[in-house]
């Protein structure tokens, strides 16, 4: 029995029937009656005996070329690429499998070289275009006369399809030479080959574009219309997909397509988008058209690399218009990409090393766009915002009253004042803030004032609700009928990390991580202290104890009155840290306004009948 390779060589028809069964849907009859079979990748041993599309792509070395060449080659098409410069075609050699991409040198004025490029093709793409004239080719030479030679060759060899890539705003009557010559090129193509498919892409963005890359570069300085021209930028990958789809859809023959992106932008808006992405500010200088256009034209004649051209200046004053009769991406079942989704992908290389790894500028907006809330969630959110606004209003009123020292003035006059409330300060659980209930705060404040002398100083450390209660007690008018006026301390201080309490003149910023970084006049100057360390950790408790020792006015005969409120599990550490003060666990248990899961104890260095006693297990 012959081996399989021998059987293939001796009987190609048998190998074809065994290896690859074809459905009728794989067969296409072209306009000229030629049968076309599509193959995937061209790797099969029988690929050589199958007929497949042969496509010629003029202008393949430009921005759009690689996207259509790669798509055609990987579908099994043979792609012919006419070229003028040897070095400009290198990247296209690997666009398809070996043998799928062929190159042929041509000249746009040499009809024979053009005919050699198209005579064996089923489809011809014309992507040729110039943004500015050169000493060898004017825009008329490229867009009109060059198109005429190519289309005549297509008609001469009866090529099935001709797809002509023009430009947005192509119009023979346009004031822009570029748009005018593009418009005349379309007329020439249709007059010679009526089945021409005309494609008018909007300004293209991608890796090799003259939009994002140009705006991100440092040489893009001058503009003439403040970059106010508007258009719908389109992704080069979407255009490549559209051009491939047209090859396999004969209904696109003779049609005109306006291919543009989903959103209309001005160049200024895209420039801002670019600057946000690259974290740099690009300077743009606006010059009158009468000055900039001649200067740009002169530069094009002197320099041999692309710069701002006179045609670019003209286009700045012409917004993109859409032909309502033309077909669009929707007719090809393609959804075009939004430029803002790709700026990070194409512009990351323009960032400095300091910002290179930062996330895309639009990531926050994308996350917000993806969030959807139910009606119940929206109602809860609105309620939250309402509470937040109410708290903000209360806080502003409190701040105004504190700045005007309304309470002190009213107290001096003997008039009643509006009591302060902690409602103006919402708890921040990330800062471990849990306000005491009004009853607890008032009781602790009363103990700080009990028997206070006019030469004594009180410090409230990380317990703002006690401080507010203390302020209310001090601002309450004295009973004039009493034989002895109610005593008041010399000074009261609030040591707190939350800057919101800076509305009170008694506020002193306090960070337990820096326990003695406080005003010098407070050292050894405080006679009565209440401390509520913000965190139930050994580090926080130890540093808070250092602050208390630094503040206290301790003598051989007198010890400051000290109250510490913190968790029950800190009992052994507290009695150890405050042994010098004689601090012990009391029977009183503070309560919080919103409840607290941790069991909370009050520690003091004195007892008060009817209020608290030392616990038997407290120790000293």
């Amino acid at each position: 029995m012959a081996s399989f390779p021998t059987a293939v060589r001796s009987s190609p028809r048998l190998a074809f029937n065994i290896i690859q069964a074809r459905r009728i849907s794989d067969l296409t009859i072209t306009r000229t009656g030629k049968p076309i079979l599509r193959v995937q990748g061209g790797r099969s041993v029988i690929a050589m005996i199958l007929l497949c599309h042969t496509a010629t792509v003029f202008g393949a070395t430009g921005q759009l070329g690689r996207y259509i060449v790669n798509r055609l080659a990987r579908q099994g098409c043979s792609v012919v690429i006419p070229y003028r410069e040897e070095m400009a075609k290198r990247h296209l050699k690997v666009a398809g499998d070996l043998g799928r991409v062929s190159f042929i040198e041509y000249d746009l004025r040499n009809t024979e070289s053009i005919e050699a490029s198209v005579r064996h093709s089923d489809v011809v793409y014309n992507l040729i275009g110039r943004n500015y004239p050169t000493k060898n080719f004017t825009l008329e030479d490229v867009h009109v006369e060059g198109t005429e030679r190519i289309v005549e060759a297509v008609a001469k060899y009866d090529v099935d399809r001709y797809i002509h890539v023009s430009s947005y705003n192509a119009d023979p009557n346009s004031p822009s030479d570029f748009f005018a010559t593009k418009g005349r090129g379309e007329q020439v193509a249709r007059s010679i080959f009526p089945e021409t498919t005309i494609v008018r892409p909007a300004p293209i963005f991608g890796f090799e574009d003259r939009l994002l890359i140009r705006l991100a570069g440092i040489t893009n300085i001058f503009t003439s219309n403040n970059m106010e021209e508007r258009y719908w930028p389109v992704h080069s990958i979407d255009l490549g997909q559209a051009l491939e789809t047209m090859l396999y859809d004969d209904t696109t023959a003779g049609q005109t397509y306006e291919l543009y992106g989903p959103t209309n932008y001005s160049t200024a808006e895209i420039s801002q988008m670019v600057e946000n992405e690259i974290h740099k500010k690009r300077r743009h200088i606006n010059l009158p058209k009468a000055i900039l256009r001649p200067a740009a034209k002169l530069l094009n004649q002197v320099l041999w690399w692309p710069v701002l051209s006179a045609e670019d200046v003209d286009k700045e004053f012409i917004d993109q218009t859409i032909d309502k009769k033309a077909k669009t991406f929707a007719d090809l079942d393609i959804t075009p990409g939004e430029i803002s989704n790709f700026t990070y992908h194409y512009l990351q290389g323009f960032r400095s090393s300091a910002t290179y790894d930062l996330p895309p500028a639009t990531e926050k907006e994308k996350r917000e766009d993806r969030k959807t809330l139910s009606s119940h969630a929206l109602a809860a959110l609105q309620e939250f915002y309402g509470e937040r606004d109410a708290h903000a209003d209360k806080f502003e009123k409190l701040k105004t009253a504190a700045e005007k020292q309304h309470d002190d003035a009213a107290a001096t006059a003997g008039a009643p004042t509006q009591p302060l409330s902690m409602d103006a300060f919402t708890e921040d659980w990330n800062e471990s803030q849990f306000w005491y209930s009004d009853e607890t705060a008032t009781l602790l404040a009363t103990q700080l004032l009990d028997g206070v002398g006019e030469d004594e100083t009180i410090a409230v450390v990380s317990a703002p609700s006690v401080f507010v209660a203390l302020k209310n007690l001090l601002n309450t008018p004295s009973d004039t009928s009493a034989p002895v006026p109610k005593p008041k301390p010399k000074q009261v201080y609030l040591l707190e990390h939350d800057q919101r309490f800076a509305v009170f003149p008694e506020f002193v910023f306090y960070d337990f991580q820096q326990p003695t970084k406080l005003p010098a006049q407070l050292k050894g100057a405080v006679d009565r202290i209440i401390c509520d360390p913000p965190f139930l950790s050994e580090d926080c408790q130890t540093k808070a104890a250092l602050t208390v020792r630094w503040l206290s006015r301790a003598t051989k005969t007198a010890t400051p009155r000290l109250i510490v409120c913190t968790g029950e599990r800190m009992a052994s550490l507290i009695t150890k840290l405050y042994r010098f003060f004689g601090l012990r666990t009391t029977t009183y248990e503070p309560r919080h306004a919103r409840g607290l899961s941790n069991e909370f104890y009050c520690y003091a260095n004195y007892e008060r009948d009817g209020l608290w006693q030392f616990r038997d297990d407290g120790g000293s």
Side-chain angles (χ1 to χ4, degrees), residues 67-123:
Y67 299 99
I68 181 58
V69 170
N70 179 260
R71 283 182 170 275
L72 294 176
R74 72 186 182 189
Q75 291 293 341
C77 294
S78 296
V79 183
V80 178
I81 299 179
Y83 70 94
R84 293 194 305 131
E85 299 180 16
E86 179 69 30
M87 300 299 289
K89 66 180 179 62
R90 293 180 301 169
H91 63 285
L92 297 172
K93 291 183 178 181
V94 293
D97 287 336
L98 185 63
R100 285 297 171 194
V101 181
S102 304
F103 299 92
I104 182 170
E105 189 172 3
Y106 89 111
D107 188 306
L108 196 57
R109 292 193 175 97
N110 188 321
T111 303
E112 291 183 2
S113 66
I114 295 175
E115 292 179 354
S117 301
V118 305
R119 63 163 52 99
H120 301 295
S121 297
D122 309 306
V123 59

Side-chain angles (χ1 to χ4, degrees), residues 319-553:
D319 294 339
Q320 180 181 0
T321 57
I322 304 299
D323 183 357
K324 300 301 182 181
K325 298 179 181 179
K327 294 189 175 182
T328 65
F329 277 116
D331 298 286
L332 301 173
D333 293 328
I334 297 174
T335 302
E338 165 61 43
I339 187 172
S340 61
N341 296 334
F342 297 93
T343 52
Y344 176 77
H345 182 63
Y346 293 124
L347 297 175
Q348 188 183 20
F350 287 88
R351 295 181 171 189
S352 67
S353 58
T355 59
Y356 189 82
D357 291 331
L358 292 179
T362 58
E363 189 61 34
K364 180 179 179 181
E365 288 78 3
K366 291 178 184 178
R367 290 197 298 266
E368 291 177 350
D369 290 343
R370 287 195 294 265
K371 293 178 181 177
T372 56
L373 297 177
S374 64
S375 58
H376 298 292
L378 286 173
L381 184 62
Q382 291 175 352
E383 181 180 357
F384 167 77
Y385 284 145
E387 292 180 358
R388 183 194 64 181
D389 295 340
H391 281 297
D393 184 59
K394 291 180 180 178
F395 181 76
E396 287 301 321
K397 292 180 179 178
L398 176 63
K399 181 178 179 181
T400 302
E403 289 176 349
K404 294 181 177 180
Q405 298 183 339
H406 171 75
D407 291 346
D408 292 341
T412 302
T417 63
Q418 183 69 29
L420 298 175
S421 172
M422 289 300 292
D423 289 343
F425 303 93
T426 55
E427 297 172 336
D428 185 351
W429 290 3
N430 291 325
E431 293 284 342
S432 190
Q433 290 179 340
F434 301 92
W435 308 147
Y436 295 128
S437 66
D438 291 341
E439 180 183 3
T440 294
T442 302
L443 185 146
L444 294 173
T446 302
Q447 284 303 302
L448 290 174
L449 292 175
D450 182 36
V452 69
E454 294 183 352
D455 59 343
E456 291 186 340
T457 299
I458 299 176
V460 179
V461 182
S462 301
S465 52
V466 175
F467 172 79
V468 169
L470 194 62
K471 290 272 290 182
N472 285 332
L473 290 174
L474 291 173
N475 290 337
T476 302
S478 301
D479 185 359
T480 56
S481 63
V484 180
K486 183 171 64 174
K488 291 188 177 182
K490 176 183 177 181
Q491 185 65 51
V492 177
Y493 293 101
L494 170 62
L495 279 64
E496 172 59 37
H497 186 270
D498 191 340
Q499 292 281 0
R500 291 179 299 171
F501 291 96
V503 297
F504 300 111
E506 301 91 345
F507 172 82
V508 176
F509 178 76
Y510 170 64
D511 183 356
F512 78 88
Q513 297 287 4
Q514 298 174 308
T516 59
K517 190 176 181 180
L518 296 165
Q521 70 268 20
L522 292 180
K523 185 176 182 181
V526 181
D527 304 282
R528 299 183 178 218
I529 304 173
I530 182 170
C531 179
D532 183 351
F535 299 100
L536 297 180
S537 67
E538 183 174 344
D539 177 63
C540 180
Q541 299 286 341
T542 301
K543 290 178 178 177
L546 289 175
T547 300
V548 171
R549 294 202 61 160
W550 189 86
L551 292 170
S552 63
R553 192 203 310 266

Side-chain angles (χ1 to χ4, degrees), residues 272-288:
Q272 184 62 53
M273 192 185 306
V274 169
E275 292 174 359
N276 292 341
E277 198 67 73
I278 66 177
H279 300 280
K280 297 176 182 176
K281 179 67 176 177
R282 296 306 191 199
R283 180 176 176 81
H284 302 286
I285 301 175
N286 195 78
L287 295 177

Side-chain angles (χ1 to χ4, degrees), residues 209-229:
D209 68 16
R210 288 180 52 81
L211 183 57
L212 295 178
I213 306 303
R214 178 174 62 87
L215 291 173
I218 60 175
T219 58
N220 179 53
I221 300 176
F222 298 106
T223 178
S224 189
N225 190 30
N226 293 298
M227 302 194 300
E228 291 301 321
E229 68 277 18

Side-chain angles (χ1 to χ4, degrees), residues 157-169:
Y157 290 97
D158 206 16
V159 177
D160 297 306
R161 295 292 306 279
Y162 174 66
I163 300 174
H164 181 82
V165 179
S166 182
S167 170
Y168 72 100
N169 287 350

Side-chain angles (χ1 to χ4, degrees), residues 167-179:
S167 170
Y168 72 100
N169 287 350
D171 181 1
N173 301 317
S174 174
S176 165
D177 291 340
F178 177 85
F179 293 143

